[in-house]
């Protein structure tokens, strides 16, 4: 797991007097997610698809929001590895939408230009959105090849690609949106359109 | 006012109903005690042991039945349900349906003591209740404990038992945000019994916190942990996965903040206590209020009074242990006796 | 009955057999699929991870076109697309502020009338299990399958409002109507690793492996899916999973529409059953189904 630079030193006494609740309020306002409903039971984290590779389990993410440790939240590895499977929210006794919080933090980290712990995840997402912005649609094969080249993994999925080629699963000429200007307009005010 | 002896109808023959019947009978009024099951004792009858003193509940029931036997004013009708009720001034005309047909009785007061049911945990797909045979609710497990204790022939391969508390309770997404109050205690009791029966087994109780507010309750839970070596794990389990004939449990150890896994032979769910279906029916028949979750509610005149001449006792009002049910049965009896005394 | 059809990028790419079989089966069942004209990508995981409004707008554009085509019912065979379209619809309906923003961004009225359904739901709700059973020409008997719903068909429950998020039953009932036996298992709605196939392949190998292992232990001979991401992850990474876990699974990962089509009498090539990497043909032959 890539190390996360913690802004809070978890080995020292945390001064509750210094905790501010603005992040908690911001998340309530912007995402409609009220973390005061959290009962601290940990059910979110026990069933989380990726908790075993997270630096902070979903319950800890909620707790970090409570103590207002935005810096840790924006840098944590869980932002890269949350798979958005929504197991946590549907099992939560209070239906706290943790994936919505994660997406909100991802967006915020991205806008602030904070480097994600797993650059490949963000690179993949950006390359994908580039395709959408350019063609309106994604050509999976092209995306995969481009991703593997950008990350220097020239032969990563070569064997799989060969098999898929023989199954006729790879399309050399991907389809495109005709009125592409409509799609490009959607990206107008979006920082994500910046080249990865 | 009629000259006949005043009669109380008691619906439900568990610890609350039994206590009420005995007390009213001892005060000299006549009682009709109806029980839908073929025998008296209610849920208590199904239990293997009690907390906080590890007593055999059957001994208490037997003692209560002996008391009843000495009270000819109490008429016990098992296999009987209340079908209809009509208020007639200060009395009710009630239709009782037994196996051999129905009959009508005039009664001057009613105590509803219809007990509780367990919430159906099959709505938690993640736990697999109803799908995986070794995921049991607490009453089903109690039955097993009773069998193993009585017959002495117990399964050999029982290595690990896991208890999940708050299944349904304290879960607003499932509609039951309240604490069911008795689960912390009976889960400790059941885990302790497992350790008595299978000293080499491992027992895990998954908890959010344990609530032991009662005389000798805290000491009881501590003794289960300290003397019987039941392991308490803080975290609400998230998933049960069948694996090679056993059950893999996934949870977070919320004290460590890390995901944990443990394999068990049996998973016991401490389901939310909800009002029995009979409670709802009786509330409708007698025109009394139920609260948000279907438990009977006080009319604010007296804690156990639900309406004019209608009282309640035990778990139909809210989750309660058998001792509390007995207290309430006695208290409801006092209400009825006071009412009858006034009228005479 | 006409329904707006959103194939999505995968069905135009690696999952063309899903597209083909979905169209065949719907036509067979009397559902006229009208492809959303000039549809664009739903935004997938990438958009919602980077920009909430972009994600909603990308999906909303497609719903708005469907509404312009006078089609309020929209279906997407891809569970990922379904989830994004459904989420957009939910957000627009539940927040006037978002609806207003989206209207500005897409330059069209916010698509508040769209009813987004996944394809399992479309068939069950608009045709019905019994009617499907009546169309079966070749019962798929003596075969045990694990129906795998993944994350995106049922979750989050408040958005999808479809089936149970933990132990869904609809796809099982649909498959049972074809004569298939479906297994009770623990991983119906666990995650396969979703969009991490390329960027963090080890996650897919780990999570997908757990799904395959649970299916094997439940006694399944094949896994039935309604999502091209699930299919691709479990199929194309199966070899890697087998290597890591040291278990030979050889579990074909079949689209539910392919099995519907097979029971209705369509051929292997019509349904693209020959396009799956872990070939189902040996199994289907052994069962006397092809």
């Amino acid at each position: 797991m890539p190390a996360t630079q913690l802004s809070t030193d978890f080995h020292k006494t945390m001064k509750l007097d210094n905790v501010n609740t603005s992040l908690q309020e911001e998340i309530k306002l912007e995402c409609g997610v009220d973390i005061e409903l959290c009962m601290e039971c940990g059910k979110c984290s026990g069933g989380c698809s990726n908790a075993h590779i997270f630096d902070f389990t979903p319950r800890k993410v909620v707790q970090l929001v409570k103590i207002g440790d935005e810096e840790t939240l924006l840098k944590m590895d869980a932002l890269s590895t949350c798979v958005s499977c929504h197991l946590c929210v549907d099992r939560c006794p209070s239906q706290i939408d943790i994936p919505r919080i994660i997406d909100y933090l991802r967006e915020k980290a991205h806008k602030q230009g904070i480097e994600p712990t797993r650059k490949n995840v963000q690179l993949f997402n950006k390359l994908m959105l580039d395709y959408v912005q350019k063609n309106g649609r994604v050509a999976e094969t092209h995306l995969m090849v481009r991703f593997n080249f950008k990350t220097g993994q020239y032969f990563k999925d070569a064997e799989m690609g060969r098999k898929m080629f023989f199954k006729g699963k790879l399309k050399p000429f991907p389809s495109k949106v005709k009125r592409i200007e409509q799609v490009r307009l959607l990206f107008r005010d979006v920082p994500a359109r910046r080249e990865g | 006012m009629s000259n006949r002896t005043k009669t109380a109808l008691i619906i439900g023959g568990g610890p609350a109903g039994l206590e009420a019947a005995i007390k009213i009978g001892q005060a000299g009024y006549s009682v009709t005690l109806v029980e839908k099951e073929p025998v008296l004792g209610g849920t208590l009858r199904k239990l293997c042991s009690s907390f906080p003193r590890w007593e055999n509940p059957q001994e208490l029931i037997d003692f209560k039945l002996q008391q009843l036997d000495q009270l000819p004013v109490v008429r016990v009708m098992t296999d009987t349900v209340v079908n209809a009720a009509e208020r007639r001034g200060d009395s009710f005309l009630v239709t009782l349906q037994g196996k051999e047909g129905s009959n009508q009785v005039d009664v001057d007061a009613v105590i509803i003591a219809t007990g509780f049911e367990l919430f159906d945990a099959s709505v938690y797909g993640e736990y697999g209740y109803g799908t995986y045979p070794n995921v049991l609710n607490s009453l089903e497990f109690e039955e097993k404990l009773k069998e193993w204790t009585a017959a002495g022939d117990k399964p050999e391969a029982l290595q690990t038992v896991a208890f999940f508390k708050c299944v349904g309770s304290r879960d607003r997404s499932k509609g039951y945000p309240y604490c069911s109050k008795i689960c912390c205690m009976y889960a400790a009791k059941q885990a302790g019994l497992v350790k008595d029966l299978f000293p080499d087994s491992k027992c895990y109780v998954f908890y959010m916190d344990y609530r032991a507010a009662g005389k000798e309750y805290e000491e009881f839970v501590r003794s289960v942990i300290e003397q019987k070596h039941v392991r308490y794990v803080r975290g609400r389990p998230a998933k049960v996965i069948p694996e090679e004939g056993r059950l893999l449990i996934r949870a977070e150890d919320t004290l460590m903040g890390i995901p944990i896994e443990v394999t068990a032979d049996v998973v016991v769910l401490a389901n939310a206590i909800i009002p029995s279906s009979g409670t709802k029916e009786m509330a409708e028949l007698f025109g009394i209020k139920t609260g948000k979750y279907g438990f009977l509610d006080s009319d604010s005149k007296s804690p156990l009074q639900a309406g004019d001449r209608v009282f309640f006792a035990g778990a139909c009002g809210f989750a309660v242990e058998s001792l509390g049910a007995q207290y309430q049965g006695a208290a409801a009896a006092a209400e009825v006796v006071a009412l009858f005394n006034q009228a005479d | 009955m006409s329904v707006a059809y959103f194939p999505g990028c995968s069905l135009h790419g690696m999952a063309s057999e899903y597209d083909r079989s979905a169209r065949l089966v719907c036509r067979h069942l009397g559902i006229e699929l009208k492809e959303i004209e000039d549809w664009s990508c739903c935004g997938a995981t990438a958009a919602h991870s980077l920009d909430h409004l972009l994600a909603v707008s990308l999906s909303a554009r497609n719903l708005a076109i469907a509404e312009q085509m006078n089609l309020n019912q929209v279906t997407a065979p891809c569970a990922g697309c379904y989830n994004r379209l459904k989420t957009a619809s939910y957000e627009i309906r539940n927040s006037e502020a978002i609806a207003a923003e989206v209207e500005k961004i897409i330059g069209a009225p916010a698509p508040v009338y769209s009813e987004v359904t996944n394809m399992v739901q479309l068939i069950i709700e608009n045709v019905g299990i019994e009617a499907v059973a009546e169309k079966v020409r070749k019962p798929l008997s003596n075969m045990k399958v694990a129906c795998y719903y993944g994350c995106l068909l049922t979750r989050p429950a408040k958005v999808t409002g479809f089936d149970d998020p933990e132990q869904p039953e609809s796809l099982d009932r649909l498959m049972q109507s074809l004569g298939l036996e479906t297994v009770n298992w623990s991983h119906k709605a666990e995650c396969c690793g979703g969009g991490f196939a390329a960027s963090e392949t080890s996650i897919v190998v780990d999570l997908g492996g757990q799904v395959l292992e649970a299916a094997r232990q439940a006694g399944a001979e094949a896994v039935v899916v309604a999502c091209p991401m699930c299919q691709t992850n479990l199929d194309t990474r199966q070899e890697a999973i087998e290597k890591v876990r040291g278990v030979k699974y050889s579990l074909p990962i079949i689209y539910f529409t392919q099995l519907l089509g097979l029971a209705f009498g369509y051929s292997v090539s019509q349904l693209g059953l020959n396009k799956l990497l872990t070939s189902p043909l040996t199994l289907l032959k052994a069962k006397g189904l092809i």
Side-chain angles (χ1 to χ4, degrees):
Chain A
M1 172 188 14
T4 306
Q5 250 348 74
L6 303 179
S7 69
T8 299
D9 184 345
F10 290 102
H11 299 290
K12 289 209 175 118
T13 308
M14 181 175 63
K15 301 282 187 195
L16 270 188
D17 299 326
N18 301 338
V19 161
N20 94 49
T21 56
S22 64
L23 182 62
Q24 179 176 338
E25 283 147 21
E26 180 183 325
I27 280 178
K28 190 170 179 182
L29 190 74
E30 296 291 326
C31 312
V33 181
D34 182 0
I35 60 164
E36 282 186 330
L37 301 181
C38 175
M39 302 169 85
E40 295 136 23
C41 68
K43 198 176 178 194
C44 52
S45 306
C48 168
S49 295
N50 275 341
H52 57 296
I53 59 167
F54 278 9
D55 44 359
F56 295 97
T57 63
R59 184 185 55 81
K60 282 184 168 174
V61 169
V62 170
Q63 201 63 21
L64 283 169
V65 173
K66 265 194 208 164
I67 64 171
D69 188 354
E70 185 166 327
E71 208 181 326
T72 301
L73 284 165
L74 295 183
K75 287 177 178 167
M76 66 182 178
D77 187 42
L79 281 196
S80 288
T81 46
C82 166
V83 68
S84 309
C85 68
H86 287 85
L87 279 168
C88 53
V89 44
D90 277 358
R91 283 175 186 164
C92 171
S94 305
Q95 307 263 284
I96 297 174
D97 194 343
I98 299 171
R100 182 70 194 93
I101 298 177
I102 298 268
D103 274 349
Y104 181 75
L105 295 169
R106 281 170 171 161
E107 190 170 336
K108 199 165 185 178
H110 185 61
K111 278 180 182 155
Q112 293 182 14
I114 295 172
E115 283 272 298
T117 50
R118 308 208 184 202
K119 296 184 184 64
N120 284 359
V121 174
Q122 196 180 62
L123 174 68
F124 185 82
N125 288 342
K126 283 186 157 193
L127 289 178
M128 182 161 179
L129 286 184
D130 280 354
Y131 266 103
V132 179
Q133 196 175 358
K134 206 170 136 213
N135 295 333
R137 294 177 192 168
V138 179
E140 293 156 315
T141 326
H142 294 222
L143 176 61
M144 290 276 271
V145 170
R146 193 148 170 238
F147 173 79
N148 285 347
F149 269 70
K150 278 236 170 198
T151 52
Q153 309 173 88
Y154 305 105
F155 304 106
K156 180 169 172 252
D157 295 313
E159 174 56 20
M160 193 178 90
R162 194 187 61 83
K163 279 190 196 158
M164 290 173 78
F165 176 78
F166 285 111
K167 290 278 182 183
K169 275 182 167 275
L170 305 186
K171 297 238 167 117
F173 305 110
S175 63
K176 285 183 186 176
V177 169
K178 291 190 202 86
R179 289 164 290 170
I180 187 63
E181 69 290 349
Q182 284 187 354
V183 179
R184 287 183 190 157
L185 271 179
L186 309 183
F187 283 80
R188 212 172 15 186
D189 302 315
V190 171
R193 70 182 169 167
R194 286 199 295 263
E195 183 64 34
Chain B
M1 190 148 298
S2 81
N3 287 324
R4 67 177 170 81
T5 316
K6 294 269 185 251
T7 303
L9 171 69
I10 297 173
I11 307 164
L18 282 174
E19 200 62 31
I22 291 164
K23 291 291 179 291
I24 297 171
Q26 286 172 340
Y29 293 105
S30 74
V31 173
T32 300
L33 172 62
V34 299
E35 165 58 54
K36 67 175 167 34
E37 300 291 326
V39 282
L40 293 173
T43 305
L44 185 60
R45 184 175 53 85
K46 301 175 183 163
L47 306 186
C48 177
S49 181
S50 68
F51 58 81
R53 294 187 179 169
W54 306 104
E55 287 161 343
N56 181 355
Q58 195 54 48
E59 287 170 16
L60 176 70
I61 294 171
D62 290 344
F63 175 67
K64 293 295 162 190
L65 295 183
Q66 278 170 26
Q67 283 185 302
L68 269 189
D69 275 347
Q70 284 150 27
L71 294 167
V73 286
V74 179
R75 182 164 67 134
V76 176
M77 301 173 75
T78 50
D79 275 326
T80 302
V81 293
V82 179
N83 249 354
E86 194 186 317
R87 193 183 284 273
R88 291 185 165 179
D90 284 346
S91 65
F92 299 90
L93 179 64
V94 175
T95 310
L96 304 177
Q97 178 72 46
K99 280 225 157 122
E100 269 94 50
S102 70
N103 67 315
Q104 290 193 313
V105 289
D106 270 312
V107 299
D108 307 282
V110 179
I111 297 176
I112 301 171
T114 38
F116 68 92
E117 272 171 22
L118 289 182
F119 157 83
D120 178 6
S122 63
V123 301
Y124 285 95
E126 59 269 46
Y127 294 158
Y129 176 77
T131 307
Y132 315 139
N134 289 336
V135 179
L136 306 174
N137 74 30
S138 48
L139 279 175
E140 291 161 349
F141 188 64
E142 191 90 22
E143 212 172 298
K144 294 245 181 248
L145 287 170
K146 215 174 163 180
E147 272 171 36
W148 296 336
T149 311
D153 62 341
K154 43 189 193 186
E156 271 170 33
L158 201 69
Q159 296 166 38
T160 307
V161 182
F163 295 85
F164 296 2
K165 295 203 288 186
C166 302
V167 177
S169 321
R170 303 171 81 191
D171 189 339
R172 68 188 100 200
S173 76
K174 299 288 187 279
Y176 302 100
Y178 57 82
C179 163
S180 290
K181 193 172 142 186
I182 61 172
C183 327
C184 282
M185 296 310 298
Y186 75 63
K189 177 199 76 180
Q190 293 187 336
L193 290 171
V194 171
K195 291 294 281 186
D196 288 346
L197 284 164
F198 309 94
D200 295 332
S201 69
K202 285 184 177 145
C203 264
Y204 299 96
V205 177
F206 286 91
Y207 73 109
M208 286 163 69
D209 37 42
Y210 72 78
R211 296 178 171 184
K215 192 176 177 183
E216 296 173 29
Y217 283 12
E218 174 69 16
E219 301 93 306
F220 179 82
V221 178
R222 290 311 314 172
S223 76
V224 163
I225 297 170
E226 293 163 12
Q227 274 123 52
K228 297 187 191 283
H229 313 294
V230 170
R231 182 81 173 266
Y232 273 57
V233 184
R234 193 173 174 283
R236 197 172 193 155
K239 182 84 182 173
V240 175
I241 299 166
E243 204 167 83
E244 311 290 359
R246 300 183 80 207
L247 299 162
L248 177 75
I249 297 157
R250 285 206 176 136
E252 185 197 22
D253 181 328
T254 58
L255 296 177
M256 288 299 292
I258 51 169
I260 52 170
E261 291 185 347
V262 63
T263 312
D265 304 292
V266 179
V267 167
V268 184
L269 308 178
N271 302 30
I273 305 283
I274 60 169
S276 63
S277 54
T279 302
K280 198 177 152 210
E281 287 163 26
M282 292 308 110
E284 277 166 18
L285 280 186
F286 291 97
I288 53 171
K289 275 197 312 187
T290 53
K292 196 171 166 193
Y293 308 108
F295 292 112
L296 300 184
D297 252 356
S298 151
D299 68 353
S300 340
K301 292 191 187 99
S302 151
L304 296 174
Q305 183 160 5
D308 182 30
R309 291 165 187 274
V310 183
F311 303 89
F312 63 95
C316 59
F318 190 65
V320 66
E321 69 281 68
S322 58
L323 186 64
Q326 284 172 266
Y327 291 158
Q328 292 181 19
E335 294 272 8
V336 170
V337 170
L339 182 76
F340 287 177
N341 281 354
Q342 271 175 350
D344 290 339
Chain C
M1 177 205 156
S2 296
V3 179
Y5 180 66
F6 183 83
C9 306
S10 282
L11 274 73
H12 267 222
M14 294 201 283
S16 58
E17 64 273 25
Y18 191 16
D19 184 45
R20 210 189 305 168
S21 56
R23 287 174 195 267
L24 268 182
V25 161
C26 283
R27 199 175 58 202
H28 196 88
L29 292 170
I31 302 170
E32 190 192 358
L33 298 178
K34 289 192 166 166
E35 187 161 328
I36 295 178
E37 290 159 11
D38 208 29
W39 58 268
S40 50
C41 171
C42 70
T45 313
H48 79 76
S49 300
L50 291 175
D51 195 296
H52 187 62
L53 259 183
L54 173 67
V56 176
S57 309
L58 278 167
S59 285
R61 174 184 178 265
N62 295 300
L63 299 180
I65 298 174
E67 286 192 6
Q68 283 157 21
M69 292 165 71
N70 285 320
L71 294 169
N72 288 343
Q73 191 170 6
V74 178
T75 194
C78 167
C81 300
Y82 157 72
N83 200 280
R84 294 322 307 163
L85 296 176
K86 188 82 184 173
T87 301
S89 163
Y90 179 88
E91 297 266 335
I92 288 165
R93 284 183 184 183
N94 284 279
S95 161
E96 280 176 23
I98 288 185
E101 293 251 30
V102 165
E103 228 163 65
K104 254 192 278 166
I105 296 173
I106 66 172
V112 288
Y113 302 107
S114 295
E115 290 293 342
V116 182
T117 52
N118 61 64
M119 193 159 265
V120 177
Q121 187 179 16
L122 176 80
I123 292 174
I124 289 182
E125 289 175 5
N126 293 283
V127 180
I129 301 270
E130 294 77 21
V132 169
E134 280 167 22
K135 299 249 181 203
V136 171
R137 274 179 42 197
K138 183 168 36 168
L140 309 181
S141 27
N142 306 320
M143 196 160 96
K144 257 171 122 169
V145 296
C147 291
Y148 179 55
Y149 301 70
C151 308
L152 298 163
L153 277 187
T154 62
R155 278 194 304 271
K158 77 166 182 205
V159 171
T160 68
F162 171 69
D163 212 331
D164 183 273
E166 287 285 348
Q167 283 288 339
E169 285 294 330
S170 36
L171 183 55
D172 288 73
R173 286 190 287 120
L174 193 57
M175 291 299 100
Q176 286 157 13
S177 75
L178 309 181
L180 288 160
E181 186 183 338
T182 66
V183 300
N184 272 328
W185 65 312
S186 52
H187 280 58
K188 275 184 177 181
E190 293 286 309
C191 180
C192 68
F196 283 128
S199 54
E200 286 288 338
T201 311
S202 64
I203 290 178
V204 171
V205 173
D206 173 13
L207 299 181
Q210 295 179 32
V211 172
L212 291 181
E213 178 60 26
R216 182 189 71 85
Q217 286 204 21
E221 296 168 287
V223 177
V224 182
V225 293
C227 172
M229 263 194 293
C230 299
Q231 202 285 333
T232 307
N233 283 345
L234 297 181
D235 194 13
T236 63
R237 303 294 174 188
Q238 197 166 135
E239 220 176 85
I241 290 168
E242 287 173 342
K243 237 176 241 163
V244 168
R245 300 182 80 95
V247 179
K248 189 89 185 129
Y249 290 107
S250 307
L251 280 168
I253 316 295
I254 312 174
Y255 289 110
F256 80 103
T257 44
Q258 292 179 305
L259 290 172
L260 280 165
L262 193 65
F264 295 160
Y266 291 97
S267 72
V268 166
S269 59
Q270 279 174 305
L271 297 164
L273 277 161
N274 51 340
K275 288 189 168 266
L276 308 174
L277 247 55
T278 310
S279 174
L281 301 182
T282 319
L283 176 70
L284 295 175
K285 261 180 215 145
K287 302 285 173 186
L289 300 174
I290 52 171

